[in-house]
Amino acid sequence: MVTTYDGWRLFHGDGQRRPVDEMPPAPPWRTFGTVAPDGGPDGDTADGPAPARPYLISPEHADVVNAALHLRRPLLVTGHPGTGKSSLARAITHELDLGEVLHWPVNSRSTVQDALYRYDAIGRLRETALSRDRGDAEPPLGSFVRLGPLGTALVPGERPRVLLVDELDKGDVDLPNDLLTVFEEGEFEIPELARLPEEQSVVDVLTERAEERATVRRGRLRCQEFPIVVITSNGERDFPPAFLRRCVRLELPTPDEARLREIVTAHLGEDALDDVDRLLEAFLSRRSARQLATDQLLNAVFLRASGVDLPADGLLDAVLHRLGGVV
């Protein structure tokens, strides 16, 4: 199958139709449903995340990760955007073969209860009324309770689950303290189930994972192996001492030129380093004056390797734009 676009330009902005039978190859980190390179967005398969290349981390930082694993403590990962904070959780679950990462992206409206479970009371009332009208048995209460990412991470099992709490510093100021009890006790209560009579004390509920159910007894769920919790922060807010005391802290450094070359090679292969010196120099120069992320360099290198004329007016600025301030 042959494409009909001219060079690398698919869009010309002149209103003329130019059907494209086949899109050009996407960057490896923007390919979904197959594999994912380390450091980029995950491309989960049926067997969970499958990074195509090793996650680049120094032995010293890997030892900090191991300390958190042995201590069964949350790992608090800080660093500038693009240093691989979120990708670390995917690298851990890949190397330890622990299945897919449970992802809790935190925002200003996030609460611990929503991360633990959600109860659809309105849906239950509606379905119960319909069942009575049809003369059917009422649907089980567990069908209207779904565990969130944190609740699913605490489902008992012989092997721990991996939970990524992404950008905790974007949450409410009290959110870290609200997590302390769950992290210390490794359990939580679902009041809607705890109030059920004894003969209904065992309830199967939905989880964050498709087609998986968890058994809740007497309204409480307690983990067997404490989950591997990776918490990321961009340093937008300080955390309370009580929370920090319960975490193992890891600060990922901004990659230097040598590490940037290793990252480019890991993602795009040795050939991607050809004629990349001036592009790397421009990236390092711009990074010293403004905040840039490593994946912006990868985007620029990928475009250069695809035949894109990066020195064209405005194109380099569009790819290597600053991450802070007014856009």
Side-chain angles (χ1 to χ4, degrees):
M1 186 177 296
V2 180
T3 57
T4 58
Y5 56 87
D6 177 21
W8 70 275
R9 292 182 173 88
L10 287 79
F11 174 74
H12 292 255
D14 56 10
Q16 295 186 25
R17 287 182 177 272
R18 298 178 179 85
V20 176
D21 297 323
E22 182 180 359
M23 292 288 288
W29 54 91
R30 295 298 298 170
T31 301
F32 301 95
T34 52
V35 296
D38 90 73
D42 65 314
D44 295 346
T45 65
D47 298 323
R53 300 171 183 87
Y55 178 82
L56 300 182
I57 187 171
S58 70
E60 295 80 8
H61 295 141
D63 285 345
V64 177
V65 175
N66 284 305
L69 297 179
H70 281 278
L71 293 172
R72 306 300 201 274
R73 288 290 187 182
L75 179 68
L76 177 59
V77 187
T78 58
H80 292 300
T83 52
K85 299 187 296 296
S86 299
S87 301
L88 178 55
R90 301 182 181 98
I92 293 172
T93 192
H94 172 71
E95 288 197 17
L96 302 185
D97 193 21
L98 294 175
E100 66 178 306
V101 175
L102 295 163
H103 187 202
W104 179 20
V106 175
N107 57 50
S108 59
R109 300 178 301 278
S110 297
T111 66
V112 171
Q113 178 172 325
D114 286 341
L116 289 172
Y117 78 96
R118 297 177 297 277
Y119 171 54
D120 185 5
I122 296 177
R124 185 192 179 198
L125 289 173
R126 182 178 61 250
E127 293 299 322
T128 299
L130 291 174
S131 298
R132 288 173 179 172
D133 292 342
R134 294 191 301 260
D136 298 334
E138 293 184 8
L141 178 58
S143 300
F144 304 97
V145 177
R146 180 179 293 276
L147 302 182
L150 176 55
T152 302
L154 295 172
V155 171
E158 295 182 358
R159 307 185 72 198
R161 301 172 185 233
V162 179
L163 172 67
L164 170 61
V165 183
D166 217 359
E167 299 187 334
L168 181 62
D169 51 331
K170 291 188 180 301
D172 184 82
V173 65
D174 292 326
L175 188 59
N177 280 330
D178 293 341
L179 284 168
L180 291 181
T181 300
V182 178
F183 283 163
E184 284 299 295
E185 303 297 333
E187 67 176 3
F188 66 99
E189 181 182 70
I190 302 177
E192 292 83 356
L193 303 183
R195 291 193 292 264
L196 293 174
E198 181 65 27
E199 61 272 15
Q200 301 177 29
S201 61
V202 179
V203 180
D204 288 339
V205 300
L206 304 172
T207 74
E208 188 80 0
R209 291 177 171 173
E211 300 180 358
E212 179 190 56
R213 286 182 172 267
T215 300
V216 180
R217 292 177 170 82
R218 294 181 175 84
R220 299 197 70 83
L221 193 148
R222 183 182 181 88
C223 68
Q224 181 175 341
E225 277 286 342
F226 190 79
I228 297 171
V229 181
V230 177
I231 303 171
T232 71
S233 169
N234 290 323
E236 296 182 7
R237 174 182 297 162
D238 293 332
F239 295 125
F243 176 80
L244 294 176
R245 181 170 60 85
R246 290 164 170 84
C247 296
V248 175
R249 302 183 63 177
L250 170 63
E251 182 172 358
L252 294 179
T254 300
D256 58 14
E257 180 176 349
R259 178 49 64 92
L260 287 173
R261 291 180 180 274
E262 293 176 0
I263 292 173
V264 169
T265 302
H267 283 78
L268 299 171
E270 291 282 353
D271 294 342
L273 291 177
D274 296 340
D275 195 30
V276 78
D277 291 345
R278 292 185 62 184
L279 191 57
L280 186 57
E281 180 181 350
F283 174 81
L284 291 172
S285 176
R286 291 166 181 248
R287 192 179 69 177
S288 64
R290 66 183 79 174
Q291 194 177 47
L292 295 178
T294 304
D295 59 352
Q296 291 175 284
L297 173 64
L298 292 174
N299 291 336
V301 174
F302 177 81
L303 290 175
R304 169 67 63 82
S306 301
V308 177
D309 183 19
L310 277 176
D313 290 343
L315 186 54
L316 196 60
D317 287 335
V319 177
L320 299 183
H321 60 84
R322 59 181 179 149
L323 301 180
V326 179
V327 178

